[in-house]
mmCIF file of all heavy atoms in Angstrom:
data_model
loop_
_atom_site.group_PDB
_atom_site.id
_atom_site.type_symbol
_atom_site.label_atom_id
_atom_site.label_comp_id
_atom_site.label_asym_id
_atom_site.label_seq_id
_atom_site.Cartn_x
_atom_site.Cartn_y
_atom_site.Cartn_z
ATOM 1 N N ARG A 1 -51.394 37.491 80.281
ATOM 2 C CA ARG A 1 -52.224 36.299 80.219
ATOM 3 C C ARG A 1 -53.471 36.505 79.358
ATOM 4 O O ARG A 1 -54.078 35.534 78.914
ATOM 5 C CB ARG A 1 -52.631 35.874 81.625
ATOM 6 C CG ARG A 1 -51.452 35.404 82.477
ATOM 7 C CD ARG A 1 -51.881 35.068 83.875
ATOM 8 N NE ARG A 1 -50.758 34.604 84.695
ATOM 9 C CZ ARG A 1 -50.824 34.352 86.000
ATOM 10 N NH1 ARG A 1 -51.973 34.523 86.642
ATOM 11 N NH2 ARG A 1 -49.764 33.944 86.656
ATOM 12 N N ILE A 2 -53.873 37.776 79.188
ATOM 13 C CA ILE A 2 -55.038 38.062 78.348
ATOM 14 C C ILE A 2 -54.631 38.661 77.009
ATOM 15 O O ILE A 2 -55.485 39.139 76.263
ATOM 16 C CB ILE A 2 -56.016 39.000 79.092
ATOM 17 C CG1 ILE A 2 -55.319 40.333 79.437
ATOM 18 C CG2 ILE A 2 -56.563 38.340 80.334
ATOM 19 C CD1 ILE A 2 -56.266 41.359 80.059
ATOM 20 N N ASP A 3 -53.336 38.654 76.715
ATOM 21 C CA ASP A 3 -52.853 39.143 75.421
ATOM 22 C C ASP A 3 -53.219 38.130 74.340
ATOM 23 O O ASP A 3 -52.781 36.975 74.387
ATOM 24 C CB ASP A 3 -51.336 39.336 75.481
ATOM 25 C CG ASP A 3 -50.795 40.000 74.226
ATOM 26 O OD1 ASP A 3 -51.534 40.071 73.225
ATOM 27 O OD2 ASP A 3 -49.637 40.455 74.242
ATOM 28 N N PRO A 4 -54.040 38.512 73.335
ATOM 29 C CA PRO A 4 -54.454 37.531 72.311
ATOM 30 C C PRO A 4 -53.298 37.002 71.490
ATOM 31 O O PRO A 4 -53.304 35.835 71.078
ATOM 32 C CB PRO A 4 -55.455 38.324 71.458
ATOM 33 C CG PRO A 4 -55.128 39.762 71.706
ATOM 34 C CD PRO A 4 -54.624 39.841 73.109
ATOM 35 N N ILE A 5 -52.301 37.832 71.211
ATOM 36 C CA ILE A 5 -51.153 37.384 70.409
ATOM 37 C C ILE A 5 -50.395 36.288 71.138
ATOM 38 O O ILE A 5 -50.098 35.223 70.579
ATOM 39 C CB ILE A 5 -50.209 38.561 70.092
ATOM 40 C CG1 ILE A 5 -50.972 39.695 69.381
ATOM 41 C CG2 ILE A 5 -49.041 38.083 69.245
ATOM 42 C CD1 ILE A 5 -51.583 39.274 68.064
ATOM 43 N N LYS A 6 -50.108 36.536 72.413
ATOM 44 C CA LYS A 6 -49.402 35.521 73.195
ATOM 45 C C LYS A 6 -50.291 34.307 73.430
ATOM 46 O O LYS A 6 -49.792 33.183 73.540
ATOM 47 C CB LYS A 6 -48.948 36.110 74.532
ATOM 48 C CG LYS A 6 -47.864 37.171 74.381
ATOM 49 C CD LYS A 6 -47.359 37.630 75.737
ATOM 50 C CE LYS A 6 -46.221 38.645 75.556
ATOM 51 N NZ LYS A 6 -45.692 39.114 76.863
ATOM 52 N N GLY A 7 -51.608 34.526 73.508
ATOM 53 C CA GLY A 7 -52.506 33.394 73.669
ATOM 54 C C GLY A 7 -52.464 32.463 72.473
ATOM 55 O O GLY A 7 -52.447 31.234 72.620
ATOM 56 N N ILE A 8 -52.435 33.034 71.250
ATOM 57 C CA ILE A 8 -52.319 32.208 70.043
ATOM 58 C C ILE A 8 -50.993 31.471 70.028
ATOM 59 O O ILE A 8 -50.903 30.298 69.644
ATOM 60 C CB ILE A 8 -52.490 33.089 68.787
ATOM 61 C CG1 ILE A 8 -53.910 33.665 68.742
ATOM 62 C CG2 ILE A 8 -52.191 32.292 67.529
ATOM 63 C CD1 ILE A 8 -54.130 34.655 67.626
ATOM 64 N N GLY A 9 -49.947 32.183 70.485
ATOM 65 C CA GLY A 9 -48.635 31.529 70.551
ATOM 66 C C GLY A 9 -48.617 30.353 71.507
ATOM 67 O O GLY A 9 -47.982 29.327 71.232
ATOM 68 N N ARG A 10 -49.349 30.488 72.622
ATOM 69 C CA ARG A 10 -49.406 29.378 73.573
ATOM 70 C C ARG A 10 -50.187 28.198 73.011
ATOM 71 O O ARG A 10 -49.894 27.047 73.322
ATOM 72 C CB ARG A 10 -50.025 29.844 74.892
ATOM 73 C CG ARG A 10 -49.117 30.722 75.734
ATOM 74 C CD ARG A 10 -49.664 30.885 77.139
ATOM 75 N NE ARG A 10 -50.903 31.634 77.138
ATOM 76 C CZ ARG A 10 -50.978 32.952 77.312
ATOM 77 N NH1 ARG A 10 -49.866 33.661 77.458
ATOM 78 N NH2 ARG A 10 -52.148 33.577 77.317
ATOM 79 N N ILE A 11 -51.173 28.488 72.164
ATOM 80 C CA ILE A 11 -51.974 27.402 71.582
ATOM 81 C C ILE A 11 -51.121 26.495 70.711
ATOM 82 O O ILE A 11 -51.266 25.265 70.716
ATOM 83 C CB ILE A 11 -53.150 27.995 70.773
ATOM 84 C CG1 ILE A 11 -54.143 28.674 71.719
ATOM 85 C CG2 ILE A 11 -53.851 26.898 69.963
ATOM 86 C CD1 ILE A 11 -55.271 29.384 71.012
ATOM 87 N N PHE A 12 -50.194 27.088 69.966
ATOM 88 C CA PHE A 12 -49.367 26.313 69.043
ATOM 89 C C PHE A 12 -47.957 26.092 69.583
ATOM 90 O O PHE A 12 -47.021 25.859 68.825
ATOM 91 C CB PHE A 12 -49.292 27.028 67.682
ATOM 92 C CG PHE A 12 -50.623 27.155 66.997
ATOM 93 C CD1 PHE A 12 -51.344 28.341 67.080
ATOM 94 C CD2 PHE A 12 -51.155 26.088 66.311
ATOM 95 C CE1 PHE A 12 -52.580 28.459 66.461
ATOM 96 C CE2 PHE A 12 -52.386 26.203 65.684
ATOM 97 C CZ PHE A 12 -53.105 27.383 65.757
ATOM 98 N N SER A 13 -47.794 26.189 70.886
ATOM 99 C CA SER A 13 -46.484 25.991 71.498
ATOM 100 C C SER A 13 -46.212 24.519 71.726
ATOM 101 O O SER A 13 -47.097 23.665 71.594
ATOM 102 C CB SER A 13 -46.410 26.750 72.826
ATOM 103 O OG SER A 13 -47.341 26.213 73.739
ATOM 104 N N ALA A 14 -44.957 24.230 72.098
ATOM 105 C CA ALA A 14 -44.579 22.846 72.390
ATOM 106 C C ALA A 14 -45.359 22.300 73.579
ATOM 107 O O ALA A 14 -45.716 21.121 73.620
ATOM 108 C CB ALA A 14 -43.073 22.776 72.665
ATOM 109 N N ARG A 15 -45.673 23.178 74.542
ATOM 110 C CA ARG A 15 -46.439 22.726 75.710
ATOM 111 C C ARG A 15 -47.846 22.309 75.301
ATOM 112 O O ARG A 15 -48.365 21.289 75.784
ATOM 113 C CB ARG A 15 -46.500 23.860 76.746
ATOM 114 C CG ARG A 15 -47.400 23.549 77.922
ATOM 115 C CD ARG A 15 -47.352 24.673 78.934
ATOM 116 N NE ARG A 15 -46.087 24.630 79.633
ATOM 117 C CZ ARG A 15 -45.845 23.886 80.689
ATOM 118 N NH1 ARG A 15 -46.788 23.078 81.169
ATOM 119 N NH2 ARG A 15 -44.674 23.925 81.291
ATOM 120 N N SER A 16 -48.486 23.084 74.398
ATOM 121 C CA SER A 16 -49.834 22.729 73.964
ATOM 122 C C SER A 16 -49.836 21.414 73.200
ATOM 123 O O SER A 16 -50.727 20.584 73.374
ATOM 124 C CB SER A 16 -50.399 23.846 73.090
ATOM 125 O OG SER A 16 -50.513 25.052 73.827
ATOM 126 N N LEU A 17 -48.835 21.224 72.359
ATOM 127 C CA LEU A 17 -48.744 19.951 71.635
ATOM 128 C C LEU A 17 -48.535 18.797 72.604
ATOM 129 O O LEU A 17 -49.089 17.706 72.425
ATOM 130 C CB LEU A 17 -47.602 20.027 70.620
ATOM 131 C CG LEU A 17 -47.791 21.016 69.457
ATOM 132 C CD1 LEU A 17 -46.548 21.059 68.590
ATOM 133 C CD2 LEU A 17 -49.014 20.627 68.627
ATOM 134 N N MET A 18 -47.730 19.052 73.653
ATOM 135 C CA MET A 18 -47.502 18.021 74.656
ATOM 136 C C MET A 18 -48.805 17.698 75.394
ATOM 137 O O MET A 18 -49.122 16.525 75.651
ATOM 138 C CB MET A 18 -46.437 18.491 75.644
ATOM 139 C CG MET A 18 -46.075 17.468 76.706
ATOM 140 S SD MET A 18 -45.259 16.033 76.003
ATOM 141 C CE MET A 18 -44.959 15.075 77.489
ATOM 142 N N GLU A 19 -49.581 18.737 75.732
ATOM 143 C CA GLU A 19 -50.845 18.507 76.427
ATOM 144 C C GLU A 19 -51.811 17.725 75.549
ATOM 145 O O GLU A 19 -52.535 16.836 76.035
ATOM 146 C CB GLU A 19 -51.466 19.853 76.828
ATOM 147 C CG GLU A 19 -50.674 20.633 77.869
ATOM 148 C CD GLU A 19 -50.596 19.904 79.191
ATOM 149 O OE1 GLU A 19 -51.534 19.138 79.514
ATOM 150 O OE2 GLU A 19 -49.584 20.077 79.900
ATOM 151 N N LEU A 20 -51.852 18.040 74.236
ATOM 152 C CA LEU A 20 -52.726 17.305 73.325
ATOM 153 C C LEU A 20 -52.314 15.837 73.251
ATOM 154 O O LEU A 20 -53.162 14.928 73.298
ATOM 155 C CB LEU A 20 -52.678 17.935 71.935
ATOM 156 C CG LEU A 20 -53.487 17.223 70.838
ATOM 157 C CD1 LEU A 20 -54.964 17.192 71.204
ATOM 158 C CD2 LEU A 20 -53.265 17.902 69.489
ATOM 159 N N GLY A 21 -51.008 15.599 73.141
ATOM 160 C CA GLY A 21 -50.519 14.224 73.098
ATOM 161 C C GLY A 21 -50.839 13.460 74.373
ATOM 162 O O GLY A 21 -51.224 12.281 74.327
ATOM 163 N N LYS A 22 -50.717 14.142 75.527
ATOM 164 C CA LYS A 22 -51.025 13.474 76.802
ATOM 165 C C LYS A 22 -52.515 13.140 76.891
ATOM 166 O O LYS A 22 -52.889 12.076 77.393
ATOM 167 C CB LYS A 22 -50.617 14.374 77.971
ATOM 168 C CG LYS A 22 -49.123 14.478 78.179
ATOM 169 C CD LYS A 22 -48.800 15.191 79.474
ATOM 170 C CE LYS A 22 -49.372 16.578 79.513
ATOM 171 N NZ LYS A 22 -49.035 17.302 80.745
ATOM 172 N N THR A 23 -53.356 14.058 76.419
ATOM 173 C CA THR A 23 -54.797 13.800 76.470
ATOM 174 C C THR A 23 -55.178 12.580 75.638
ATOM 175 O O THR A 23 -55.953 11.709 76.073
ATOM 176 C CB THR A 23 -55.562 15.038 75.975
ATOM 177 O OG1 THR A 23 -55.203 16.171 76.775
ATOM 178 C CG2 THR A 23 -57.059 14.820 76.057
ATOM 179 N N ILE A 24 -54.622 12.512 74.425
ATOM 180 C CA ILE A 24 -54.906 11.356 73.564
ATOM 181 C C ILE A 24 -54.373 10.078 74.185
ATOM 182 O O ILE A 24 -55.041 9.027 74.194
ATOM 183 C CB ILE A 24 -54.306 11.581 72.165
ATOM 184 C CG1 ILE A 24 -54.977 12.788 71.494
ATOM 185 C CG2 ILE A 24 -54.450 10.338 71.293
ATOM 186 C CD1 ILE A 24 -54.351 13.183 70.168
ATOM 187 N N LEU A 25 -53.156 10.146 74.740
ATOM 188 C CA LEU A 25 -52.556 8.968 75.352
ATOM 189 C C LEU A 25 -53.366 8.509 76.559
ATOM 190 O O LEU A 25 -53.588 7.305 76.749
ATOM 191 C CB LEU A 25 -51.114 9.280 75.758
ATOM 192 C CG LEU A 25 -50.326 8.145 76.425
ATOM 193 C CD1 LEU A 25 -50.222 6.948 75.479
ATOM 194 C CD2 LEU A 25 -48.934 8.625 76.838
ATOM 195 N N LYS A 26 -53.834 9.462 77.378
ATOM 196 C CA LYS A 26 -54.641 9.095 78.544
ATOM 197 C C LYS A 26 -55.932 8.405 78.116
ATOM 198 O O LYS A 26 -56.333 7.400 78.703
ATOM 199 C CB LYS A 26 -54.959 10.351 79.373
ATOM 200 C CG LYS A 26 -53.812 10.854 80.211
ATOM 201 C CD LYS A 26 -54.249 11.938 81.166
ATOM 202 C CE LYS A 26 -54.627 13.203 80.441
ATOM 203 N NZ LYS A 26 -54.944 14.302 81.373
ATOM 204 N N PHE A 27 -56.582 8.968 77.097
ATOM 205 C CA PHE A 27 -57.829 8.364 76.638
ATOM 206 C C PHE A 27 -57.608 6.933 76.139
ATOM 207 O O PHE A 27 -58.358 6.017 76.494
ATOM 208 C CB PHE A 27 -58.432 9.219 75.522
ATOM 209 C CG PHE A 27 -59.624 8.591 74.859
ATOM 210 C CD1 PHE A 27 -60.861 8.602 75.472
ATOM 211 C CD2 PHE A 27 -59.495 7.965 73.631
ATOM 212 C CE1 PHE A 27 -61.960 8.000 74.867
ATOM 213 C CE2 PHE A 27 -60.590 7.366 73.020
ATOM 214 C CZ PHE A 27 -61.832 7.380 73.638
ATOM 215 N N LEU A 28 -56.561 6.741 75.349
ATOM 216 C CA LEU A 28 -56.305 5.418 74.802
ATOM 217 C C LEU A 28 -55.950 4.423 75.901
ATOM 218 O O LEU A 28 -56.427 3.279 75.900
ATOM 219 C CB LEU A 28 -55.187 5.495 73.760
ATOM 220 C CG LEU A 28 -55.510 6.293 72.485
ATOM 221 C CD1 LEU A 28 -54.286 6.361 71.581
ATOM 222 C CD2 LEU A 28 -56.694 5.677 71.749
ATOM 223 N N LEU A 29 -55.111 4.860 76.842
ATOM 224 C CA LEU A 29 -54.697 3.955 77.908
ATOM 225 C C LEU A 29 -55.875 3.569 78.805
ATOM 226 O O LEU A 29 -56.093 2.383 79.108
ATOM 227 C CB LEU A 29 -53.599 4.604 78.747
ATOM 228 C CG LEU A 29 -52.198 4.634 78.131
ATOM 229 C CD1 LEU A 29 -51.263 5.446 79.017
ATOM 230 C CD2 LEU A 29 -51.658 3.227 77.968
ATOM 231 N N VAL A 30 -56.612 4.579 79.262
ATOM 232 C CA VAL A 30 -57.730 4.294 80.160
ATOM 233 C C VAL A 30 -58.790 3.458 79.446
ATOM 234 O O VAL A 30 -59.370 2.515 80.025
ATOM 235 C CB VAL A 30 -58.330 5.615 80.686
ATOM 236 C CG1 VAL A 30 -59.593 5.338 81.498
ATOM 237 C CG2 VAL A 30 -57.308 6.354 81.549
ATOM 238 N N ALA A 31 -59.043 3.775 78.184
ATOM 239 C CA ALA A 31 -60.033 2.999 77.430
ATOM 240 C C ALA A 31 -59.591 1.550 77.277
ATOM 241 O O ALA A 31 -60.387 0.616 77.452
ATOM 242 C CB ALA A 31 -60.265 3.644 76.063
ATOM 243 N N ALA A 32 -58.302 1.348 76.952
ATOM 244 C CA ALA A 32 -57.793 -0.012 76.772
ATOM 245 C C ALA A 32 -57.866 -0.801 78.079
ATOM 246 O O ALA A 32 -58.287 -1.970 78.103
ATOM 247 C CB ALA A 32 -56.361 0.034 76.254
ATOM 248 N N VAL A 33 -57.461 -0.163 79.186
ATOM 249 C CA VAL A 33 -57.506 -0.845 80.478
ATOM 250 C C VAL A 33 -58.951 -1.124 80.882
ATOM 251 O O VAL A 33 -59.277 -2.207 81.388
ATOM 252 C CB VAL A 33 -56.786 -0.015 81.554
ATOM 253 C CG1 VAL A 33 -56.964 -0.630 82.929
ATOM 254 C CG2 VAL A 33 -55.303 0.098 81.230
ATOM 255 N N ALA A 34 -59.851 -0.161 80.650
ATOM 256 C CA ALA A 34 -61.246 -0.346 81.029
ATOM 257 C C ALA A 34 -61.884 -1.490 80.240
ATOM 258 O O ALA A 34 -62.608 -2.333 80.817
ATOM 259 C CB ALA A 34 -62.016 0.952 80.799
ATOM 260 N N VAL A 35 -61.623 -1.546 78.941
ATOM 261 C CA VAL A 35 -62.182 -2.623 78.121
ATOM 262 C C VAL A 35 -61.638 -3.969 78.575
ATOM 263 O O VAL A 35 -62.380 -4.965 78.686
ATOM 264 C CB VAL A 35 -61.879 -2.376 76.626
ATOM 265 C CG1 VAL A 35 -62.237 -3.612 75.789
ATOM 266 C CG2 VAL A 35 -62.644 -1.163 76.129
ATOM 267 N N THR A 36 -60.344 -4.019 78.871
ATOM 268 C CA THR A 36 -59.737 -5.275 79.329
ATOM 269 C C THR A 36 -60.349 -5.730 80.656
ATOM 270 O O THR A 36 -60.663 -6.919 80.846
ATOM 271 C CB THR A 36 -58.220 -5.091 79.484
ATOM 272 O OG1 THR A 36 -57.661 -4.664 78.231
ATOM 273 C CG2 THR A 36 -57.561 -6.393 79.906
ATOM 274 N N ILE A 37 -60.530 -4.788 81.577
ATOM 275 C CA ILE A 37 -61.092 -5.140 82.883
ATOM 276 C C ILE A 37 -62.534 -5.614 82.740
ATOM 277 O O ILE A 37 -62.947 -6.624 83.340
ATOM 278 C CB ILE A 37 -61.001 -3.937 83.838
ATOM 279 C CG1 ILE A 37 -59.530 -3.643 84.178
ATOM 280 C CG2 ILE A 37 -61.779 -4.199 85.124
ATOM 281 C CD1 ILE A 37 -59.335 -2.396 85.003
ATOM 282 N N LEU A 38 -63.331 -4.892 81.942
ATOM 283 C CA LEU A 38 -64.724 -5.294 81.758
ATOM 284 C C LEU A 38 -64.822 -6.673 81.094
ATOM 285 O O LEU A 38 -65.711 -7.466 81.426
ATOM 286 C CB LEU A 38 -65.455 -4.248 80.919
ATOM 287 C CG LEU A 38 -65.721 -2.902 81.609
ATOM 288 C CD1 LEU A 38 -66.346 -1.920 80.634
ATOM 289 C CD2 LEU A 38 -66.625 -3.090 82.825
ATOM 290 N N TRP A 39 -63.909 -6.929 80.180
ATOM 291 C CA TRP A 39 -63.908 -8.242 79.531
ATOM 292 C C TRP A 39 -63.604 -9.345 80.537
ATOM 293 O O TRP A 39 -64.230 -10.402 80.528
ATOM 294 C CB TRP A 39 -62.894 -8.241 78.410
ATOM 295 C CG TRP A 39 -62.818 -9.548 77.654
ATOM 296 C CD1 TRP A 39 -61.956 -10.578 77.849
ATOM 297 C CD2 TRP A 39 -63.681 -9.964 76.601
ATOM 298 N NE1 TRP A 39 -62.187 -11.604 76.990
ATOM 299 C CE2 TRP A 39 -63.257 -11.255 76.191
ATOM 300 C CE3 TRP A 39 -64.770 -9.374 75.943
ATOM 301 C CZ2 TRP A 39 -63.881 -11.963 75.181
ATOM 302 C CZ3 TRP A 39 -65.378 -10.077 74.920
ATOM 303 C CH2 TRP A 39 -64.952 -11.361 74.557
ATOM 304 N N GLN A 40 -62.630 -9.080 81.423
ATOM 305 C CA GLN A 40 -62.253 -10.076 82.416
ATOM 306 C C GLN A 40 -63.348 -10.268 83.475
ATOM 307 O O GLN A 40 -63.499 -11.350 84.040
ATOM 308 C CB GLN A 40 -60.942 -9.660 83.102
ATOM 309 C CG GLN A 40 -59.740 -9.627 82.180
ATOM 310 C CD GLN A 40 -59.338 -11.012 81.711
ATOM 311 O OE1 GLN A 40 -59.520 -12.006 82.415
ATOM 312 N NE2 GLN A 40 -58.796 -11.084 80.492
ATOM 313 N N LEU A 41 -64.120 -9.212 83.747
ATOM 314 C CA LEU A 41 -65.128 -9.279 84.809
ATOM 315 C C LEU A 41 -66.532 -9.548 84.273
ATOM 316 O O LEU A 41 -67.508 -9.444 85.034
ATOM 317 C CB LEU A 41 -65.143 -7.959 85.599
ATOM 318 C CG LEU A 41 -63.878 -7.599 86.383
ATOM 319 C CD1 LEU A 41 -64.053 -6.260 87.069
ATOM 320 C CD2 LEU A 41 -63.539 -8.678 87.399
ATOM 321 N N SER A 42 -66.647 -9.865 83.012
ATOM 322 C CA SER A 42 -67.983 -10.039 82.430
ATOM 323 C C SER A 42 -68.761 -11.154 83.139
ATOM 324 O O SER A 42 -69.952 -10.986 83.467
ATOM 325 C CB SER A 42 -67.868 -10.318 80.934
ATOM 326 O OG SER A 42 -67.062 -11.485 80.703
ATOM 327 N N ASP A 43 -68.126 -12.276 83.381
ATOM 328 C CA ASP A 43 -68.816 -13.385 84.060
ATOM 329 C C ASP A 43 -69.212 -12.999 85.481
ATOM 330 O O ASP A 43 -70.312 -13.342 85.942
ATOM 331 C CB ASP A 43 -67.934 -14.636 84.069
ATOM 332 C CG ASP A 43 -67.693 -15.186 82.667
ATOM 333 O OD1 ASP A 43 -68.509 -14.880 81.777
ATOM 334 O OD2 ASP A 43 -66.686 -15.892 82.464
ATOM 335 N N TRP A 44 -68.324 -12.322 86.165
ATOM 336 C CA TRP A 44 -68.624 -11.908 87.553
ATOM 337 C C TRP A 44 -69.778 -10.913 87.588
ATOM 338 O O TRP A 44 -70.655 -10.981 88.460
ATOM 339 C CB TRP A 44 -67.369 -11.297 88.179
ATOM 340 C CG TRP A 44 -67.559 -10.863 89.597
ATOM 341 C CD1 TRP A 44 -67.525 -11.640 90.710
ATOM 342 C CD2 TRP A 44 -67.844 -9.531 90.056
ATOM 343 N NE1 TRP A 44 -67.754 -10.892 91.834
ATOM 344 C CE2 TRP A 44 -67.954 -9.581 91.467
ATOM 345 C CE3 TRP A 44 -68.002 -8.304 89.406
ATOM 346 C CZ2 TRP A 44 -68.225 -8.466 92.222
ATOM 347 C CZ3 TRP A 44 -68.273 -7.182 90.181
ATOM 348 C CH2 TRP A 44 -68.381 -7.269 91.565
ATOM 349 N N LEU A 45 -69.806 -9.958 86.635
ATOM 350 C CA LEU A 45 -70.891 -8.981 86.589
ATOM 351 C C LEU A 45 -72.229 -9.653 86.306
ATOM 352 O O LEU A 45 -73.262 -9.285 86.886
ATOM 353 C CB LEU A 45 -70.588 -7.930 85.515
ATOM 354 C CG LEU A 45 -69.416 -6.980 85.811
ATOM 355 C CD1 LEU A 45 -69.126 -6.106 84.595
ATOM 356 C CD2 LEU A 45 -69.722 -6.107 87.016
ATOM 357 N N LEU A 46 -72.228 -10.646 85.418
ATOM 358 C CA LEU A 46 -73.469 -11.365 85.144
ATOM 359 C C LEU A 46 -73.926 -12.166 86.354
ATOM 360 O O LEU A 46 -75.137 -12.335 86.594
ATOM 361 C CB LEU A 46 -73.274 -12.294 83.934
ATOM 362 C CG LEU A 46 -73.056 -11.586 82.581
ATOM 363 C CD1 LEU A 46 -72.728 -12.607 81.492
ATOM 364 C CD2 LEU A 46 -74.275 -10.761 82.196
#
């Protein structure tokens, strides 16, 4: 787990790419839902 060679390999592995894709997808989804909800609740918040 502390081997630098294997650590570099894990960085560019399919799992790391999958984690990066999930992070971007989560940000986009949550941001889109949050903006939509705030837009719908703008009158109520005011």
Side-chain angles (χ1 to χ4, degrees):
R1 294 177 179 174
I2 60 175
D3 187 346
I5 304 299
K6 292 185 177 180
I8 295 174
R10 287 193 293 267
I11 292 175
F12 297 98
S13 64
R15 174 177 287 275
S16 297
L17 294 176
M18 182 67 179
E19 294 296 331
L20 177 61
K22 287 189 301 182
T23 303
I24 297 174
L25 180 60
K26 284 190 292 185
F27 172 77
L28 294 176
L29 284 174
V30 174
V33 173
V35 170
T36 303
I37 292 174
L38 289 175
W39 181 264
Q40 295 292 329
L41 296 179
S42 58
D43 294 338
W44 181 81
L45 291 173
L46 293 174

